[in-house]
Amino acid sequence: MAEYRNYIFDLYGTLVDISTNEAKASLWKNMAWLFSMMGASYEPAELKKMYKKLYAEETGRNLLRVREELKDNQITAGEVEIHLEDVFEKLFADKGVEIDRKQAWQISLMFRSLSMNGIRLYEGVEELFKRLKEAGKKIYLLSNAQRMFTEPEMKLLGFYDCFDGILYSSDADVKKPSFYFYDAIFQKYGLKKEESVMIGNEYCADIQGADNYGIDSMYVFTAQSGKEADLLPESSRRIERIGDVF
């Protein structure tokens, strides 16, 4: 493999070990209380059902819009991203209550915090970033994530300022493995394919996505990777832990 200048990282499951559970009853009970105290009366099961319905509708709506904007009808629902705050605004609107964007962000943060069981940096991340910086390398983040809660989580973990560039899927309207999401970060920061490598823990999003875009990749298997990939494309190599990147 080539000597790289640009190291593009996935976030969750690659740099950050996070555990969330949006199915737990306590999440929907507490969110229903919050909604009700703000004038939008929901029972927990009702709120959960409506949330899923509106999430699916937003995905479908964004799929049609992105296909039209990019003039590409081959884009799938799995490649488009929504703005989660839109879902929360509509949950209130369905009960005749209007909230502003700031409130929607705050409610989204509450939802995220109530769904979390734990969050931490993987061992070796801080040392890796230090070595990359000392070697004059550039560090980028390409994450399937909602800016509203991912940015605060990165600041909480103390490594938000380590990146030379960041692109969240919620800002791009598309997500990995979409060719367009990879292209968006390359266009935004003027990166060259031959100088860049993608590092991630998800085979489809990070490894196949990078290969389809025409860049090298490194695959690290973690507890959040799902089924471990057996075969990797020639453009990719397997690493045992995140500290082995460099």
Side-chain angles (χ1 to χ4, degrees), residues 8-232:
I8 307 168
F9 289 89
D10 169 55
L11 183 62
Y12 299 115
T14 300
L15 299 174
V16 173
D17 182 11
I18 188 170
S19 172
T20 62
N21 182 3
E22 293 185 3
K24 58 185 178 182
S26 61
L27 166 65
W28 297 102
K29 181 179 71 173
N30 284 285
M31 289 303 297
W33 282 343
L34 175 62
F35 272 69
S36 297
M37 285 188 287
M38 295 180 66
S41 182
Y42 277 102
E43 292 297 324
E46 177 194 10
L47 179 61
K48 183 179 180 180
K49 181 179 180 180
M50 184 60 71
Y51 172 85
K52 291 183 175 181
K53 176 177 181 291
L54 292 175
Y55 194 105
E57 289 177 357
E58 282 298 304
T59 300
R61 187 177 296 106
N62 277 12
L63 175 61
L64 294 177
R65 179 176 56 79
V66 170
R67 281 179 173 177
E68 183 177 353
E69 288 178 355
L70 296 176
K71 304 294 188 288
D72 185 351
N73 286 326
Q74 300 304 309
I75 297 173
T76 67
E79 296 175 276
V80 298
E81 185 64 276
I82 69 165
H83 298 270
L84 194 57
E85 58 267 39
D86 290 339
V87 173
F88 286 108
E89 285 186 13
K90 289 177 180 178
L91 282 167
F92 276 93
D94 192 62
K95 296 291 187 176
V97 178
E98 183 178 344
I99 61 171
D100 59 31
R101 208 62 171 176
K102 183 178 180 180
Q103 288 175 307
W105 274 58
Q106 292 171 333
I107 292 163
S108 300
L109 277 176
M110 178 66 73
F111 180 83
R112 177 68 163 186
S113 65
L114 290 172
S115 73
M116 285 175 54
N117 298 319
I119 185 170
R120 67 178 181 91
L121 281 179
Y122 275 111
E123 183 178 350
V125 171
E126 292 176 316
E127 294 82 0
L128 169 62
F129 278 20
K130 182 179 179 181
R131 293 199 303 272
L132 290 173
K133 289 292 187 181
E134 289 175 347
K137 307 299 184 181
K138 298 291 186 179
I139 303 173
Y140 297 91
L141 181 74
L142 187 69
S143 179
N144 289 356
Q146 297 285 323
R147 171 193 283 271
M148 78 185 88
F149 51 69
T150 297
E151 207 162 80
E153 287 170 1
M154 292 170 64
K155 292 178 179 178
L156 172 69
L157 293 170
F159 77 129
Y160 174 77
D161 293 328
C162 293
F163 295 94
D164 295 285
I166 293 173
L167 186 60
Y168 307 108
S169 56
S170 64
D171 290 343
D173 294 327
V174 286
K175 61 185 178 181
K176 295 176 289 182
S178 173
F179 176 96
Y180 297 105
F181 192 35
Y182 280 90
D183 195 52
I185 195 169
F186 274 74
Q187 295 302 322
K188 182 175 182 179
Y189 296 107
L191 308 183
K192 296 180 180 179
K193 290 184 178 183
E194 64 273 16
E195 297 178 345
S196 307
V197 60
M198 177 74 203
I199 303 99
N201 75 303
E202 292 188 359
Y203 178 73
C204 178
D206 302 317
I207 308 308
Q208 282 191 323
D211 188 57
N212 290 339
Y213 188 65
I215 60 173
D216 291 345
S217 65
M218 298 182 195
Y219 174 68
V220 56
F221 179 74
T222 68
Q224 298 178 50
S225 298
K227 185 179 183 297
E228 185 172 6
D230 295 322
L231 297 175
L232 300 178

